Amino acid sequence: MKENSIHTEDKLICIQGNSYYSEGEVYTVGRIVNDKYFQLLTSGNDDHWYVTSDDQGIYVSFDTSTATNNKAFFDKIA
């Protein structure tokens, strides 16, 4: 993974929320899948969504009609 990349236990703040993630809330990074995908924990009981980190930023994308917006964006907390 490149320098300044995401690591397990890093904290991310939601900068653009949706039905699942709230703007301003802080979430914890779970297991790293590869240099583009990782888990973002949503609760204390191992619930998570997979996050993409690419040229668009750090985001969770939802292909569902239940999410008001289909993407939630995050920034890493330094």
Side-chain angles (χ1 to χ4, degrees):
M1 295 177 77
K2 59 189 173 204
E3 191 176 336
N4 296 328
S5 61
I6 304 295
H7 298 86
T8 299
E9 300 296 323
D10 280 353
K11 304 294 183 196
L12 302 181
I13 188 165
C14 183
I15 57 171
Q16 178 183 323
N18 64 13
S19 299
Y20 297 98
Y21 289 99
S22 299
E23 187 172 330
E25 289 292 316
V26 174
Y27 299 91
T28 302
V29 174
R31 188 176 67 83
I32 304 298
V33 177
N34 57 36
D35 63 343
K36 187 175 177 179
Y37 301 104
F38 56 90
Q39 294 176 343
L40 189 61
L41 306 177
T42 56
S43 69
N45 61 358
D46 293 334
D47 286 343
H48 65 272
W49 289 95
Y50 286 97
V51 178
T52 303
S53 179
D54 62 16
D55 294 342
Q56 294 182 33
I58 301 170
Y59 60 92
V60 175
S61 184
F62 296 91
D63 292 329
T64 177
S65 60
T66 60
T68 348
N69 301 315
N70 68 342
K71 290 183 181 176
F73 286 88
F74 302 86
D75 269 342
K76 183 176 175 181
I77 297 176

Coordinates of all heavy atoms in Angstrom, one line a residue:
M1 N 0.8 -1.2 0.0 CA 0.0 0.0 0.0 C 0.9 1.2 0.0 O 2.0 1.2 0.5 CB -0.9 0.0 1.2 CG -1.9 -1.2 1.2 SD -2.9 -1.2 2.7 CE -4.1 0.1 2.3
K2 N 0.4 2.3 -0.6 CA 1.2 3.5 -0.7 C 1.3 4.3 0.6 O 0.5 4.0 1.5 CB 0.6 4.4 -1.8 CG -0.8 4.8 -1.6 CD -1.4 5.5 -2.8 CE -2.9 5.7 -2.5 NZ -3.7 5.8 -3.6
E3 N 2.3 5.2 0.7 CA 2.4 6.0 1.9 C 1.2 6.8 2.1 O 0.5 7.2 1.2 CB 3.6 6.9 1.6 CG 4.1 7.6 2.9 CD 5.3 8.5 2.7 OE1 6.0 8.2 1.8 OE2 5.5 9.4 3.5
N4 N 0.9 7.0 3.4 CA -0.3 7.7 3.9 C -1.6 7.0 3.5 O -2.7 7.5 3.4 CB -0.4 9.1 3.3 CG 0.7 10.0 3.7 OD1 1.1 9.9 4.9 ND2 1.1 10.9 2.9
S5 N -1.5 5.7 3.4 CA -2.6 4.8 3.1 C -3.4 4.5 4.3 O -3.0 4.9 5.4 CB -2.2 3.5 2.4 OG -1.4 2.8 3.2
I6 N -4.5 3.9 4.2 CA -5.4 3.5 5.3 C -4.9 2.2 5.9 O -4.5 1.3 5.2 CB -6.8 3.3 4.7 CG1 -7.3 4.5 4.0 CG2 -7.8 2.9 5.8 CD1 -7.5 5.8 4.8
H7 N -5.0 2.2 7.2 CA -4.6 1.0 8.0 C -5.7 0.6 9.0 O -6.5 1.4 9.3 CB -3.3 1.3 8.8 CG -2.1 1.7 8.0 ND1 -1.9 2.9 7.6 CD2 -1.1 0.9 7.5 CE1 -0.8 3.0 6.9 NE2 -0.3 1.8 6.8
T8 N -5.7 -0.7 9.4 CA -6.7 -1.2 10.3 C -6.6 -0.3 11.6 O -5.5 0.1 12.0 CB -6.3 -2.6 10.7 OG1 -6.5 -3.4 9.5 CG2 -7.3 -3.2 11.7
E9 N -7.7 0.0 12.1 CA -7.9 0.8 13.3 C -7.8 2.3 13.1 O -8.0 3.1 14.0 CB -6.9 0.4 14.5 CG -7.1 -1.0 15.0 CD -8.5 -1.3 15.6 OE1 -9.0 -0.4 16.3 OE2 -9.0 -2.4 15.4
D10 N -7.5 2.8 11.8 CA -7.5 4.2 11.5 C -9.0 4.7 11.7 O -9.9 3.9 11.6 CB -7.1 4.4 10.0 CG -5.6 4.4 9.8 OD1 -4.9 4.4 10.8 OD2 -5.2 4.5 8.7
K11 N -9.1 6.0 11.9 CA -10.4 6.6 12.1 C -10.7 7.5 10.9 O -9.8 8.2 10.4 CB -10.4 7.5 13.4 CG -10.1 6.8 14.6 CD -11.1 5.7 15.0 CE -10.7 5.0 16.3 NZ -11.4 3.8 16.6
L12 N -11.9 7.3 10.4 CA -12.4 8.1 9.2 C -13.6 8.9 9.7 O -14.5 8.4 10.4 CB -12.8 7.2 8.1 CG -11.7 6.3 7.5 CD1 -12.3 5.5 6.3 CD2 -10.5 7.1 7.1
I13 N -13.7 10.2 9.2 CA -14.8 11.0 9.5 C -15.7 11.1 8.3 O -15.1 11.3 7.1 CB -14.4 12.4 10.1 CG1 -15.7 13.1 10.5 CG2 -13.6 13.2 9.0 CD1 -15.4 14.4 11.4
C14 N -17.0 11.0 8.4 CA -17.9 11.1 7.3 C -18.0 12.5 6.9 O -18.4 13.3 7.7 CB -19.2 10.4 7.6 SG -20.4 10.4 6.3
I15 N -17.7 12.9 5.6 CA -17.8 14.3 5.2 C -19.0 14.5 4.3 O -19.4 15.6 4.0 CB -16.5 14.7 4.5 CG1 -16.2 13.8 3.3 CG2 -15.4 14.8 5.5 CD1 -15.1 14.3 2.4
Q16 N -19.6 13.4 3.8 CA -20.9 13.5 3.0 C -21.7 12.2 3.3 O -21.3 11.1 2.9 CB -20.6 13.6 1.5 CG -21.9 13.6 0.7 CD -21.6 13.7 -0.8 OE1 -20.7 14.3 -1.2 NE2 -22.4 13.0 -1.5
G17 N -22.7 12.3 4.1 CA -23.4 11.1 4.6 C -24.5 10.6 3.6 O -24.7 11.2 2.6
N18 N -25.2 9.5 4.0 CA -26.3 9.0 3.3 C -27.2 8.3 4.4 O -27.1 8.6 5.6 CB -25.9 8.1 2.2 CG -25.2 6.9 2.6 OD1 -25.1 6.5 3.8 ND2 -24.6 6.2 1.7
S19 N -28.1 7.4 3.9 CA -29.0 6.7 4.8 C -28.3 5.8 5.9 O -28.8 5.5 6.9 CB -30.0 5.9 4.0 OG -30.7 6.7 3.2
Y20 N -27.0 5.4 5.6 CA -26.3 4.5 6.4 C -25.2 5.2 7.3 O -24.9 4.7 8.3 CB -25.7 3.4 5.6 CG -26.7 2.5 4.9 CD1 -27.1 2.8 3.6 CD2 -27.4 1.5 5.6 CE1 -28.0 2.0 3.0 CE2 -28.4 0.8 5.0 CZ -28.7 1.0 3.6 OH -29.6 0.3 3.0
Y21 N -24.6 6.2 6.7 CA -23.5 6.9 7.4 C -23.9 8.3 7.6 O -24.3 9.0 6.7 CB -22.2 6.8 6.6 CG -21.6 5.4 6.6 CD1 -21.8 4.5 5.5 CD2 -20.9 4.9 7.7 CE1 -21.3 3.2 5.5 CE2 -20.3 3.6 7.7 CZ -20.6 2.8 6.6 OH -20.1 1.5 6.6
S22 N -23.6 8.8 8.8 CA -24.0 10.2 9.2 C -22.8 11.1 9.1 O -21.7 10.9 9.6 CB -24.5 10.2 10.6 OG -25.6 9.4 10.8
E23 N -23.0 12.3 8.4 CA -22.0 13.3 8.3 C -21.5 13.7 9.7 O -22.3 14.0 10.6 CB -22.6 14.5 7.5 CG -21.5 15.5 7.2 CD -22.1 16.6 6.2 OE1 -23.0 16.3 5.4 OE2 -21.6 17.7 6.4
G24 N -20.2 13.8 9.8 CA -19.6 14.3 11.1 C -19.3 13.1 12.1 O -18.6 13.3 13.0
E25 N -19.8 11.9 11.8 CA -19.6 10.8 12.6 C -18.2 10.2 12.3 O -17.8 10.2 11.1 CB -20.6 9.7 12.5 CG -22.0 10.1 13.1 CD -21.9 10.2 14.6 OE1 -21.4 9.3 15.2 OE2 -22.5 11.1 15.1
V26 N -17.6 9.6 13.3 CA -16.3 8.9 13.1 C -16.5 7.4 13.1 O -17.2 6.9 13.9 CB -15.3 9.3 14.2 CG1 -14.0 8.6 14.1 CG2 -15.1 10.9 14.2
Y27 N -15.8 6.8 12.1 CA -15.9 5.3 12.0 C -14.5 4.7 11.9 O -13.5 5.4 11.6 CB -16.6 5.0 10.7 CG -18.0 5.5 10.6 CD1 -18.3 6.7 10.1 CD2 -19.1 4.7 11.2 CE1 -19.6 7.2 10.1 CE2 -20.4 5.2 11.2 CZ -20.6 6.5 10.6 OH -21.9 7.0 10.6
T28 N -14.4 3.4 12.3 CA -13.1 2.7 12.4 C -12.9 1.8 11.2 O -13.8 1.1 10.8 CB -13.0 1.9 13.7 OG1 -13.3 2.9 14.8 CG2 -11.7 1.3 13.9
V29 N -11.7 1.8 10.7 CA -11.3 0.9 9.6 C -11.1 -0.5 10.2 O -10.5 -0.7 11.2 CB -10.0 1.4 8.9 CG1 -9.5 0.4 7.9 CG2 -10.2 2.8 8.3
G30 N -11.7 -1.5 9.5 CA -11.5 -2.9 9.9 C -10.4 -3.5 9.0 O -9.4 -2.9 8.8
R31 N -10.7 -4.7 8.6 CA -9.7 -5.5 7.8 C -9.4 -4.8 6.4 O -10.3 -4.4 5.8 CB -10.2 -6.9 7.6 CG -9.2 -7.9 7.0 CD -9.8 -9.3 6.8 NE -10.9 -9.3 5.9 CZ -10.8 -9.5 4.6 NH1 -9.6 -9.5 4.0 NH2 -11.8 -9.5 3.8
I32 N -8.1 -4.8 6.1 CA -7.7 -4.3 4.8 C -7.8 -5.4 3.8 O -7.3 -6.5 4.0 CB -6.3 -3.7 4.8 CG1 -6.1 -2.7 5.9 CG2 -5.8 -3.2 3.5 CD1 -6.9 -1.5 5.8
V33 N -8.5 -5.2 2.6 CA -8.6 -6.2 1.6 C -7.5 -6.1 0.6 O -6.8 -7.1 0.3 CB -10.0 -6.1 0.9 CG1 -10.1 -7.1 -0.2 CG2 -11.1 -6.2 1.9
N34 N -7.2 -4.9 0.1 CA -6.1 -4.6 -0.8 C -5.9 -3.1 -0.8 O -6.4 -2.4 0.0 CB -6.3 -5.2 -2.2 CG -7.6 -4.7 -2.9 OD1 -7.9 -3.6 -2.7 ND2 -8.2 -5.6 -3.6
D35 N -5.1 -2.6 -1.7 CA -4.7 -1.2 -1.7 C -5.9 -0.3 -2.2 O -5.8 0.9 -2.1 CB -3.5 -0.9 -2.6 CG -3.7 -1.2 -4.0 OD1 -4.6 -2.0 -4.4 OD2 -2.9 -0.8 -4.8
K36 N -7.0 -0.9 -2.6 CA -8.2 -0.1 -3.0 C -9.4 -0.4 -2.1 O -10.3 0.5 -2.1 CB -8.5 -0.5 -4.5 CG -9.6 0.3 -5.1 CD -9.8 0.0 -6.6 CE -10.9 0.8 -7.1 NZ -11.1 0.6 -8.5
Y37 N -9.5 -1.5 -1.5 CA -10.7 -1.8 -0.7 C -10.4 -2.2 0.7 O -9.4 -2.8 1.0 CB -11.5 -3.0 -1.3 CG -11.9 -2.7 -2.8 CD1 -11.2 -3.3 -3.8 CD2 -13.0 -1.9 -3.0 CE1 -11.6 -3.1 -5.1 CE2 -13.4 -1.7 -4.3 CZ -12.7 -2.2 -5.4 OH -13.0 -2.0 -6.7
F38 N -11.3 -1.8 1.7 CA -11.1 -2.2 3.1 C -12.5 -2.1 3.7 O -13.4 -1.6 3.2 CB -10.1 -1.3 3.8 CG -10.4 0.2 3.7 CD1 -11.2 0.8 4.7 CD2 -9.9 1.0 2.7 CE1 -11.5 2.2 4.6 CE2 -10.2 2.3 2.6 CZ -10.9 2.9 3.6
Q39 N -12.6 -2.7 4.9 CA -13.8 -2.7 5.7 C -13.9 -1.4 6.5 O -12.9 -0.9 7.0 CB -13.9 -3.9 6.6 CG -13.9 -5.2 6.0 CD -13.9 -6.3 7.0 OE1 -13.5 -6.1 8.1 NE2 -14.3 -7.5 6.6
L40 N -15.1 -0.9 6.6 CA -15.4 0.2 7.5 C -16.5 -0.2 8.5 O -17.6 -0.6 8.1 CB -15.9 1.5 6.8 CG -16.0 2.7 7.6 CD1 -14.6 3.1 8.1 CD2 -16.6 3.9 6.7
L41 N -16.1 -0.3 9.8 CA -17.0 -0.8 10.8 C -18.1 0.1 11.1 O -17.9 1.4 11.1 CB -16.2 -1.1 12.1 CG -15.0 -2.0 11.9 CD1 -14.2 -2.2 13.3 CD2 -15.4 -3.4 11.4
T42 N -19.3 -0.4 11.2 CA -20.5 0.5 11.4 C -21.0 0.4 12.8 O -21.9 1.1 13.2 CB -21.6 0.2 10.4 OG1 -21.9 -1.2 10.5 CG2 -21.1 0.5 9.0
S43 N -20.6 -0.6 13.6 CA -21.1 -0.8 15.0 C -20.1 -1.7 15.7 O -19.1 -2.2 15.2 CB -22.5 -1.4 15.0 OG -22.4 -2.8 14.5
G44 N -20.4 -1.9 17.0 CA -19.5 -2.7 17.8 C -19.6 -4.2 17.6 O -18.9 -5.0 18.2
N45 N -20.5 -4.6 16.8 CA -20.7 -6.1 16.6 C -20.3 -6.6 15.2 O -20.9 -7.5 14.7 CB -22.2 -6.5 16.8 CG -23.1 -5.8 15.8 OD1 -22.7 -5.0 15.0 ND2 -24.4 -6.1 15.9
D46 N -19.2 -6.0 14.7 CA -18.5 -6.5 13.5 C -19.3 -6.2 12.2 O -19.0 -6.7 11.2 CB -18.2 -8.0 13.6 CG -17.1 -8.2 14.6 OD1 -16.3 -7.3 14.8 OD2 -17.0 -9.4 15.1
D47 N -20.4 -5.4 12.3 CA -21.1 -5.0 11.0 C -20.1 -4.0 10.3 O -19.4 -3.2 10.9 CB -22.4 -4.2 11.4 CG -23.5 -5.1 11.8 OD1 -23.4 -6.3 11.6 OD2 -24.4 -4.6 12.4
H48 N -20.1 -4.2 9.0 CA -19.2 -3.3 8.2 C -19.7 -3.3 6.7 O -20.6 -4.1 6.3 CB -17.8 -3.9 8.2 CG -17.7 -5.2 7.5 ND1 -17.9 -6.4 8.2 CD2 -17.4 -5.6 6.2 CE1 -17.7 -7.4 7.4 NE2 -17.5 -7.0 6.2
W49 N -19.2 -2.3 6.0 CA -19.4 -2.1 4.6 C -18.0 -2.1 4.0 O -17.1 -1.7 4.7 CB -20.2 -0.8 4.2 CG -21.6 -0.9 4.6 CD1 -22.2 -0.4 5.8 CD2 -22.7 -1.4 3.8 NE1 -23.5 -0.6 5.8 CE2 -23.9 -1.3 4.6 CE3 -22.8 -2.1 2.6 CZ2 -25.1 -1.7 4.1 CZ3 -24.0 -2.5 2.1 CH2 -25.2 -2.3 2.9
Y50 N -17.9 -2.4 2.7 CA -16.6 -2.3 2.1 C -16.4 -0.9 1.4 O -17.4 -0.4 0.8 CB -16.4 -3.4 1.0 CG -16.2 -4.7 1.7 CD1 -17.2 -5.6 1.9 CD2 -14.9 -5.0 2.1 CE1 -17.0 -6.8 2.5 CE2 -14.7 -6.2 2.8 CZ -15.8 -7.1 3.0 OH -15.5 -8.3 3.6
V51 N -15.3 -0.3 1.7 CA -15.0 1.0 1.2 C -14.0 1.0 0.1 O -13.1 0.1 0.0 CB -14.3 1.8 2.4 CG1 -13.9 3.2 2.0 CG2 -15.2 1.9 3.6
T52 N -14.2 1.9 -0.8 CA -13.3 2.1 -2.0 C -12.4 3.3 -1.7 O -12.9 4.4 -1.3 CB -14.0 2.3 -3.3 OG1 -14.9 1.2 -3.5 CG2 -13.1 2.4 -4.5
S53 N -11.1 3.2 -2.0 CA -10.2 4.4 -2.0 C -9.6 4.5 -3.3 O -8.8 3.6 -3.7 CB -9.2 4.2 -0.9 OG -8.3 5.2 -0.8
D54 N -9.9 5.5 -4.1 CA -9.4 5.7 -5.4 C -9.3 7.2 -5.8 O -9.4 8.0 -4.9 CB -10.2 4.9 -6.5 CG -11.7 5.3 -6.6 OD1 -12.0 6.4 -6.1 OD2 -12.4 4.5 -7.2
D55 N -9.3 7.5 -7.1 CA -9.2 8.9 -7.5 C -10.4 9.8 -7.1 O -10.3 11.0 -7.0 CB -9.1 9.0 -9.0 CG -7.8 8.4 -9.5 OD1 -6.8 8.2 -8.7 OD2 -7.7 8.1 -10.7
Q56 N -11.5 9.1 -6.8 CA -12.7 9.9 -6.4 C -12.7 10.2 -4.9 O -13.4 11.1 -4.4 CB -14.0 9.1 -6.6 CG -14.3 8.9 -8.1 CD -15.6 8.1 -8.3 OE1 -16.5 8.2 -7.5 NE2 -15.7 7.3 -9.3
G57 N -11.8 9.5 -4.1 CA -11.7 9.7 -2.7 C -11.9 8.4 -2.0 O -11.7 7.3 -2.5
I58 N -12.4 8.6 -0.7 CA -12.7 7.4 0.2 C -14.2 7.4 0.3 O -14.8 8.3 0.8 CB -12.0 7.6 1.5 CG1 -10.5 7.7 1.4 CG2 -12.3 6.4 2.4 CD1 -9.8 8.1 2.7
Y59 N -14.8 6.3 -0.2 CA -16.3 6.2 -0.1 C -16.8 4.8 -0.1 O -16.2 3.9 -0.4 CB -16.8 7.0 -1.4 CG -16.4 6.4 -2.7 CD1 -17.2 5.4 -3.3 CD2 -15.2 6.7 -3.3 CE1 -16.8 4.8 -4.5 CE2 -14.8 6.2 -4.5 CZ -15.6 5.2 -5.1 OH -15.2 4.6 -6.3
V60 N -18.1 4.8 0.4 CA -18.9 3.6 0.3 C -19.9 3.8 -0.7 O -20.6 4.9 -0.7 CB -19.5 3.3 1.7 CG1 -20.5 2.1 1.6 CG2 -18.5 3.0 2.8
S61 N -20.1 2.9 -1.7 CA -21.0 3.1 -2.7 C -22.2 2.0 -2.5 O -21.9 0.9 -2.3 CB -20.4 2.8 -4.1 OG -21.2 3.0 -5.1
F62 N -23.4 2.5 -2.6 CA -24.6 1.7 -2.4 C -25.3 1.6 -3.8 O -25.7 2.6 -4.3 CB -25.5 2.2 -1.4 CG -24.9 2.3 0.0 CD1 -24.2 3.4 0.4 CD2 -24.9 1.2 0.8 CE1 -23.6 3.4 1.7 CE2 -24.4 1.2 2.1 CZ -23.7 2.4 2.5
D63 N -25.6 0.4 -4.2 CA -26.4 0.1 -5.4 C -27.8 -0.3 -4.9 O -28.2 -1.4 -5.2 CB -25.8 -0.9 -6.3 CG -24.5 -0.4 -7.0 OD1 -24.4 0.8 -7.2 OD2 -23.6 -1.2 -7.3
T64 N -28.5 0.6 -4.2 CA -29.8 0.2 -3.7 C -30.7 1.4 -3.6 O -30.2 2.5 -3.6 CB -29.6 -0.3 -2.2 OG1 -30.8 -0.6 -1.7 CG2 -28.8 0.6 -1.3
S65 N -31.9 1.1 -3.7 CA -32.9 2.2 -3.7 C -33.2 2.7 -2.2 O -33.9 3.7 -2.0 CB -34.2 1.8 -4.3 OG -34.7 0.6 -3.6
T66 N -32.7 1.9 -1.2 CA -32.9 2.3 0.2 C -32.0 3.4 0.6 O -32.3 4.1 1.6 CB -32.8 1.1 1.1 OG1 -31.5 0.6 1.0 CG2 -33.8 0.1 0.8
A67 N -30.9 3.7 0.0 CA -30.0 4.8 0.3 C -30.4 6.0 -0.4 O -30.6 6.0 -1.6 CB -28.6 4.4 0.0
T68 N -30.6 7.1 0.3 CA -31.0 8.4 -0.3 C -30.0 8.8 -1.3 O -30.3 9.2 -2.4 CB -31.3 9.5 0.7 OG1 -31.3 9.0 2.0 CG2 -32.5 10.2 0.5
N69 N -28.7 8.8 -0.9 CA -27.6 9.1 -1.8 C -26.9 7.8 -2.0 O -26.8 7.0 -1.0 CB -26.7 10.1 -1.3 CG -27.4 11.4 -1.0 OD1 -28.2 11.9 -1.8 ND2 -27.2 12.0 0.2
N70 N -26.3 7.5 -3.2 CA -25.7 6.2 -3.3 C -24.3 6.1 -2.8 O -23.7 5.0 -2.7 CB -25.8 5.7 -4.7 CG -25.0 6.5 -5.7 OD1 -24.6 7.6 -5.4 ND2 -24.7 6.0 -6.9
K71 N -23.7 7.2 -2.4 CA -22.3 7.2 -1.9 C -22.2 8.0 -0.6 O -22.8 9.1 -0.5 CB -21.3 7.8 -2.9 CG -21.1 6.9 -4.1 CD -20.0 7.4 -5.0 CE -19.9 6.5 -6.2 NZ -18.9 7.1 -7.2
A72 N -21.4 7.5 0.3 CA -21.0 8.3 1.5 C -19.5 8.5 1.4 O -18.8 7.5 1.1 CB -21.4 7.5 2.7
F73 N -19.0 9.7 1.6 CA -17.6 10.0 1.5 C -17.0 10.3 2.9 O -17.6 10.8 3.8 CB -17.4 11.3 0.6 CG -17.6 11.0 -0.9 CD1 -18.9 11.1 -1.4 CD2 -16.5 10.6 -1.7 CE1 -19.1 10.8 -2.7 CE2 -16.7 10.3 -3.0 CZ -18.0 10.4 -3.5
F74 N -15.6 10.0 3.0 CA -14.9 10.0 4.2 C -13.6 10.7 4.0 O -13.0 10.7 3.0 CB -14.7 8.6 4.8 CG -16.0 7.9 5.0 CD1 -16.6 7.2 4.0 CD2 -16.6 7.9 6.2 CE1 -17.8 6.5 4.2 CE2 -17.8 7.2 6.4 CZ -18.4 6.5 5.4
D75 N -13.0 11.2 5.1 CA -11.7 11.7 5.2 C -11.0 11.0 6.3 O -11.6 10.8 7.4 CB -11.6 13.2 5.5 CG -11.5 14.0 4.2 OD1 -11.2 13.5 3.1 OD2 -11.8 15.3 4.3
K76 N -9.7 10.7 6.2 CA -8.9 10.1 7.3 C -8.6 11.2 8.3 O -8.3 12.4 8.0 CB -7.6 9.6 6.7 CG -6.8 8.9 7.8 CD -5.5 8.2 7.1 CE -4.7 7.6 8.2 NZ -3.4 7.1 7.6
I77 N -8.7 10.8 9.6 CA -8.4 11.8 10.7 C -6.9 11.6 10.9 O -6.4 10.5 11.2 CB -9.2 11.4 11.9 CG1 -10.7 11.7 11.6 CG2 -8.7 12.3 13.1 CD1 -11.6 11.3 12.8
A78 N -6.2 12.7 10.9 CA -4.7 12.7 11.0 C -4.4 12.4 12.5 O -5.1 12.7 13.4 CB -4.1 14.0 10.6

